[in-house]
Amino acid sequence: MESFRVCLVQMRVEQDREANFVRARTEIEGAASEGARLVVLPEMFSCPYDVESFPRYAEELPAGPSADFLSGIAATLGIYLVGGSIPEAAGGKIYNTSTLWGPTGELLLTHRKVHLFDVDIPGGISFHESACLSAGNQVSVVQTELGRIGLAICFDLRFPEQFRAMALAGADLLVLPGAFNTTTGPAHWESLNRARAIENTCYLAACSPAPHPAGGYPAWGHSMIVDPWGEILDQCGREAARVTAVLDPSRLEELRHALPVLRQRRPDVYGL
Amino acid sequence: MESFRVCLVQMRVEQDREANFVRARTEIEGAASEGARLVVLPEMFSCPYDVESFPRYAEELPAGPSADFLSGIAATLGIYLVGGSIPEAAGGKIYNTSTLWGPTGELLLTHRKVHLFDVDIPGGISFHESACLSAGNQVSVVQTELGRIGLAICFDLRFPEQFRAMALAGADLLVLPGAFNTTTGPAHWESLNRARAIENTCYLAACSPAPHPAGGYPAWGHSMIVDPWGEILDQCGREAARVTAVLDPSRLEELRHALPVLRQRRPDVYGL
């Protein structure tokens, strides 16, 4: 892993896809001008987060309006870019898919959300992604010149198995576009993000959308960058903001020597 | 699971084993008189937490000074009792072993710490349990009339696989005698305890010793009871204290219906 600046763009998402591209472009350019070599957008950055919208906004990869936008701006600025996620149309199905683009605009990695958000919390939120989305079937990690980057999406965060698999595949940085909400966010978002960083001795970058003042999905926000010791390096509230920190490979190496948990596992015992 | 009161005894541990029994007895009697049906003692409740002491204090199970004490008081008071842990001598080896005793004094479950505490944190703590202890080889869960109870010890907390295995074995309550310290405690104890409860939709009870004012191992304390939503029901600081809460099976059932993560796992994907 190299030392580099990462920036999360916690942005509002409109009905108008082009307006989302304009807003994202402004923020990505701002992040790059401040030295970010990796910029992360939130889950469903160009499509409202609701099951009615997913089929209407679904796009193919590696080409389509969002893919073209992401590839183009990554190449123009020469940065790595996690394109939050989009509803991806493929083979008659729709996935919640995150993408990582490299500094020449090439698609380096896709991750289709493995664990769909299907919950019914009395007095809180009900949501059923599986009403229109299909689930992914892979753990997603890729080597880059910045280090090994793993991708997961939102509800995947509740499954430590997936994050452990990314760490064992060598991930230095776990990137999570994710839209927790005002029911689950205050109770779970920080504990789970910090635990995933601590238990895997990895950096973690979790990017939420900001809630829209006109209503819709009540995103919790609170995008954060966590170091492998579980310390929150930067974080915001619910409003639109950029969150940024420099990741330090010597810190990662020091902590993996101090707490060698990835080598102390006992898969002979777990029976999973 | 039944509705019942659990009480954690965060106690100082002396060099004198009999003095530890006297202190533990007072606290256990106090907890039982306040209605606790399950009482939990801390890791190494009758032996100082250092590698020189473990061989000197090692005892056999199911009989020995600590076992006799635990069995006797559980039967006298008619309670369930987690005997923190003790250095257990068996087959020429020494284990860090937790025990669960039933209300007639019977030994219901033992857990030998699976992940030994071997760390070297620059500027912080160095400790090497493996210098004199051997590791256990099993995940530990047992059915009781209170519900299914799982046992793990301290450093095991860093391994979500073990806690997932307990939850999949049906555990309603995860009990963790554990002595984090002033280096790792402030950074990791709360996040990891809450995450294990949230991601497994289980109650969790984590019982630390209090630090001894004369020195020795700098236990972090902060014993806590966490509900399956990750809410801390009761917690203390570093000083000796009792921590208590009533566990509610309807809350557990409600949250497992709301967030059915134990049924949404994708072991076909993790490759672990």
Side-chain angles (χ1 to χ4, degrees):
Chain A
M1 182 177 148
E2 286 196 17
S3 176
F4 67 94
R5 178 174 294 280
V6 59
C7 181
L8 318 182
V9 175
Q10 180 168 305
M11 57 179 275
R12 289 183 192 164
V13 178
E14 313 276 343
Q15 295 283 338
D16 179 351
R17 186 154 59 193
E18 287 301 322
N20 294 320
F21 293 161
V22 169
R23 180 175 289 108
R25 177 180 300 279
T26 301
E27 296 296 331
I28 295 167
E29 287 174 348
S33 73
E34 290 162 8
R37 292 184 67 198
L38 170 65
V39 179
V40 180
L41 301 180
E43 186 179 17
M44 295 294 172
F45 86 99
S46 62
C47 159
Y49 188 74
D50 58 64
V51 291
E52 291 73 27
S53 295
F54 299 154
R56 290 195 289 117
Y57 286 72
E59 308 174 39
E60 294 188 349
L61 285 172
S66 293
D68 293 347
F69 165 74
L70 295 165
S71 173
I73 193 166
T76 299
L77 298 173
I79 59 167
Y80 289 84
L81 177 61
V82 172
S85 76
I86 61 168
E88 179 206 3
K93 297 180 176 178
I94 306 173
Y95 301 91
N96 185 338
T97 302
S98 184
T99 51
L100 171 63
W101 306 83
T104 61
E106 70 279 27
L107 180 57
L108 298 177
L109 181 66
T110 63
H111 175 71
R112 292 172 171 168
K113 192 176 193 174
V114 171
H115 302 91
L116 297 180
F117 180 46
D118 289 336
V119 304
D120 279 297
I121 300 174
I125 195 161
S126 285
F127 205 97
H128 297 275
E129 279 190 333
S130 65
C132 69
L133 297 182
S134 297
N137 294 309
Q138 67 177 15
V139 171
S140 305
V141 176
V142 69
Q143 179 73 48
T144 74
E145 62 181 351
L146 300 178
R148 284 181 85 84
I149 296 175
L151 289 179
I153 302 176
C154 199
F155 204 64
D156 288 337
L157 183 62
R158 295 185 181 276
F159 299 85
E161 302 91 333
Q162 183 177 338
F163 285 73
R164 186 65 103 202
M166 289 193 281
L168 294 175
D172 305 305
L173 168 63
L174 309 167
V175 177
L176 182 91
F180 273 43
N181 53 72
T182 50
T183 302
T184 60
H188 301 160
W189 176 249
E190 180 178 321
S191 283
L192 293 178
N193 275 312
R194 291 183 60 202
R196 298 293 168 259
I198 294 165
E199 70 204 17
N200 293 301
T201 50
C202 286
Y203 280 101
L204 182 143
C207 186
S208 170
H212 198 287
Y217 184 81
W220 175 238
H222 289 80
S223 297
M224 63 175 65
I225 300 165
V226 186
D227 85 357
W229 187 248
E231 186 183 347
I232 297 174
L233 300 180
D234 195 18
Q235 181 182 24
C236 61
R238 291 190 72 203
E239 294 308 301
R242 293 205 298 266
V243 169
T244 185
V246 173
L247 310 191
D248 176 358
S250 67
R251 176 79 170 150
L252 186 70
E253 188 177 1
E254 171 188 275
L255 288 173
R256 287 188 170 183
H257 181 265
L259 277 170
V261 289
L262 295 176
R263 288 186 278 110
Q264 292 167 320
R265 295 175 66 245
R266 292 290 306 278
D268 58 312
V269 172
Y270 309 134
L272 295 174
Chain B
M1 181 178 148
E2 286 195 17
S3 176
F4 68 94
R5 180 174 292 280
V6 58
C7 183
L8 317 182
V9 174
Q10 180 168 304
M11 57 179 274
R12 289 182 193 165
V13 178
E14 312 277 343
Q15 296 283 337
D16 179 352
R17 186 155 56 192
E18 288 300 323
N20 293 321
F21 293 161
V22 169
R23 181 175 288 108
R25 177 180 300 279
T26 301
E27 296 296 332
I28 296 167
E29 288 174 346
S33 74
E34 290 162 7
R37 295 185 64 199
L38 171 64
V39 179
V40 180
L41 301 179
E43 185 178 18
M44 295 294 174
F45 86 100
S46 62
C47 159
Y49 188 75
D50 59 64
V51 291
E52 291 72 27
S53 294
F54 299 153
R56 290 195 290 116
Y57 286 73
E59 309 175 39
E60 294 188 350
L61 285 173
S66 293
D68 294 346
F69 165 74
L70 295 165
S71 173
I73 194 166
T76 300
L77 298 172
I79 59 168
Y80 289 84
L81 178 60
V82 172
S85 76
I86 61 168
E88 179 205 2
K93 296 180 176 179
I94 307 174
Y95 301 91
N96 184 338
T97 302
S98 183
T99 51
L100 171 64
W101 305 84
T104 61
E106 71 277 27
L107 180 57
L108 299 178
L109 182 66
T110 63
H111 175 72
R112 292 171 171 169
K113 191 177 193 173
V114 171
H115 303 90
L116 298 179
F117 180 47
D118 290 336
V119 304
D120 279 298
I121 300 174
I125 194 160
S126 284
F127 205 96
H128 296 275
E129 279 191 333
S130 64
C132 68
L133 297 183
S134 296
N137 294 308
Q138 66 177 15
V139 172
S140 305
V141 176
V142 69
Q143 179 72 49
T144 74
E145 61 181 353
L146 300 179
R148 285 182 85 85
I149 296 175
L151 288 179
I153 301 175
C154 200
F155 204 65
D156 288 337
L157 184 62
R158 295 185 181 276
F159 299 84
E161 301 91 333
Q162 183 176 336
F163 285 73
R164 187 64 105 201
M166 289 193 280
L168 294 175
D172 304 306
L173 168 63
L174 309 167
V175 177
L176 182 93
F180 274 42
N181 54 71
T182 49
T183 302
T184 59
H188 301 160
W189 176 249
E190 179 178 322
S191 282
L192 292 178
N193 276 311
R194 292 183 60 202
R196 298 293 168 258
I198 294 165
E199 69 205 18
N200 293 302
T201 52
C202 286
Y203 279 101
L204 182 145
C207 186
S208 171
H212 198 287
Y217 184 81
W220 174 238
H222 290 81
S223 298
M224 64 175 68
I225 301 166
V226 186
D227 85 357
W229 187 248
E231 188 183 344
I232 297 174
L233 301 179
D234 196 18
Q235 181 181 24
C236 62
R238 291 190 71 202
E239 293 309 301
R242 293 206 296 267
V243 170
T244 184
V246 174
L247 310 191
D248 177 357
S250 67
R251 176 78 171 151
L252 187 69
E253 188 177 0
E254 171 187 275
L255 288 173
R256 287 187 168 184
H257 181 264
L259 277 170
V261 290
L262 294 177
R263 289 186 278 112
Q264 291 169 319
R265 295 175 67 246
R266 294 290 306 278
D268 58 311
V269 172
Y270 309 135
L272 295 174

